[in-house]
Amino acid sequence: MSLVLLLVGAVLVAVAMTNRVIRFYPALAVLPARLTEAGRATLTTVGGSTLIIAFFLALSGV
């Protein structure tokens, strides 16, 4: 569970920091995410919170 949350949080923070997303279909490509400042702030907040939750779940052994 904590590994999945860690992965999701890392992806959200990476998208917010780089403002790019990876498209897997039909070919692997990096596209601009076109986020506003509010969108970047939201992704950073949600991703960071997810990383903190994953950290504490890993400490508790879940």
Side-chain angles (χ1 to χ4, degrees):
M1 171 106 172
S2 60
L3 186 60
V4 171
L5 287 174
L6 183 71
L7 185 64
V8 168
V11 167
L12 289 176
V13 171
V15 167
M17 289 178 62
T18 62
N19 205 14
R20 302 215 182 270
V21 292
I22 296 175
R23 182 184 68 179
F24 293 106
Y25 180 79
L28 189 62
V30 178
L31 302 173
R34 292 185 276 180
L35 294 171
T36 61
E37 286 299 318
R40 290 179 79 179
T42 302
L43 281 182
T44 303
T45 303
V46 172
S49 298
T50 306
L51 289 171
I52 292 169
I53 291 168
F55 173 73
F56 284 114
L57 282 176
L59 281 179
S60 69
V62 173

